[in-house]
Amino acid sequence: MTEIQIFIDKIKNSQNMAVLTGAGVSAASGIPTFRGQAGLWKKYRPEELANPQAFRSHPDIVWEWYAWRRDLIRKVKPNLAHYALVEIEKKIPAFTLITQNIDNLHQLSGSVNVVELHGNIMKSKCIDCNLPTSDNLNLKAGLPYCRSCGGLIRPDVVWFGESLQIDALNKAQTAAMECDLFLSLGTSALVEPAASLPYLAKANGAFLVEINMEETPLSSQTDIFLIGQAEKILSEITHYL
Ligand code: APR
């Protein structure tokens, strides 16, 4: 049996599967990844922008960066990797899709049980009172402020130095602990706490599979590491389910 055949067999027999996705899953939709050869961070250094201190000091620059990404994301569509995950979800009694992506493409493709670990770029909230606000901000007209407390409105995403939403993290950790099959898909597996989820799954007895274009720190710990494009490998797999 090849490794792909073993993975197909594991999917067919899984009662409870968890998948952790990262920027690599949306790459084929035209959204650049953060790290790696074609990564955004080679060009821009948004780690300096994606934190609350940077936002308070330079809200205009941070908003410009997010407005650019919002425009880009509005124009793209889910790709074969997203649709393959929708098909896999239909076949397995319990399925949790944990994503670090903030682009909404899993929901758009039809995935149902999605946990957004890092928020959603299309949502906004007040930096002071946390009140969510509508998406239709006219950023060209100046910085947006909270109608309730007057604080600055910010993108509702998790920035460096911030904690994840506790509900989302709890759901993700429970899914990792309870699944019998865990797939790490298109993520550099570097950013905590998401990076610990595959190890948590494995420590609780799950079969661990990774699909990535290149080796990551996780690869040597997996039961199966499939090197290649998520969209290609997963769409092939769905033909056999
Ligand atoms: N198929 C599979 N893997 C791919 C593909 C593809 N088509 N294209 C790229 N990859 C892989 C890269 O090899 C890399 O390992 O996807 C990974 C993308 O890694 P990152 O850019 O680091 O993205 P991610 O792991 O999602 O980053 C985690 O870090 O920047 C923060 O909050 C941000 O959610 C993000 C988090």
Side-chain angles (χ1 to χ4, degrees):
M1 250 194 186
T2 65
E3 290 196 316
I4 292 229
Q5 285 168 332
I6 295 170
F7 183 34
I8 292 168
D9 204 49
K10 289 283 174 191
I11 296 174
K12 282 183 171 167
N13 290 302
S14 175
Q15 295 301 307
N16 188 332
M17 180 173 180
V19 182
L20 172 67
T21 65
V25 172
S26 295
S29 293
I31 303 176
T33 57
F34 297 100
R35 300 169 186 83
Q37 282 311 311
L40 266 180
W41 289 16
K42 288 251 146 93
K43 248 169 144 181
Y44 294 100
R45 305 194 55 77
E47 75 273 37
E48 287 174 7
L49 299 180
N51 73 71
Q53 292 77 19
F55 184 71
R56 288 201 187 266
S57 319
H58 303 290
D60 47 343
I61 297 175
V62 178
W63 259 122
E64 194 182 332
W65 154 246
Y66 277 95
W68 176 78
R69 287 176 67 203
R70 279 184 175 186
D71 280 350
L72 175 78
I73 287 168
R74 273 196 197 98
K75 288 178 196 140
V76 302
K77 294 193 173 74
N79 65 63
L80 291 176
H82 297 103
Y83 290 116
L85 291 169
V86 176
E87 291 312 308
I88 294 172
E89 180 169 20
K90 287 180 191 159
K91 312 262 180 219
I92 300 181
F95 181 93
T96 310
L97 205 175
I98 306 157
T99 188
Q100 298 164 91
N101 298 342
I102 57 176
D103 55 29
N104 211 39
L105 291 182
H106 287 303
Q107 293 91 329
L108 209 59
S109 64
S111 286
V112 179
N113 194 22
V114 182
V115 179
E116 288 181 316
L117 278 185
H118 293 170
N120 187 310
I121 196 170
M122 296 306 172
K123 296 183 182 164
S124 311
K125 67 177 183 184
C126 173
I127 195 164
D128 292 323
C129 73
N130 275 323
L131 194 76
T133 188
S134 86
D135 177 33
N136 294 325
L137 302 174
N138 182 6
L139 296 164
K140 292 198 175 95
L143 289 171
Y145 290 92
C146 177
R147 277 192 222 176
S148 170
C149 77
L152 269 169
I153 297 292
R154 56 165 282 181
D156 195 357
V157 297
V158 179
W159 280 333
F160 285 95
E162 295 186 314
S163 304
L164 274 59
Q165 288 285 332
I166 193 71
D167 275 8
L169 184 58
N170 282 343
K171 272 191 200 159
Q173 289 174 333
T174 304
M177 285 190 287
E178 292 181 348
C179 69
D180 53 51
L181 177 59
F182 190 101
L183 170 63
S184 177
L185 186 66
T187 172
S188 55
L190 287 171
V191 177
E192 293 292 353
S196 291
L197 295 169
Y199 297 95
L200 186 62
K202 195 172 180 188
N204 283 274
F207 191 84
L208 182 56
V209 180
E210 180 183 32
I211 300 177
N212 199 301
M213 302 258 287
E214 57 193 30
E215 273 195 37
T216 72
L218 179 68
S219 308
S220 63
Q221 306 300 310
T222 58
D223 294 298
I224 293 179
F225 171 55
L226 299 170
I227 192 155
Q229 294 170 316
E231 59 279 12
K232 195 159 174 279
I233 295 175
L234 277 188
S235 59
E236 272 170 29
I237 281 174
T238 52
H239 290 135
Y240 299 96
L241 295 180

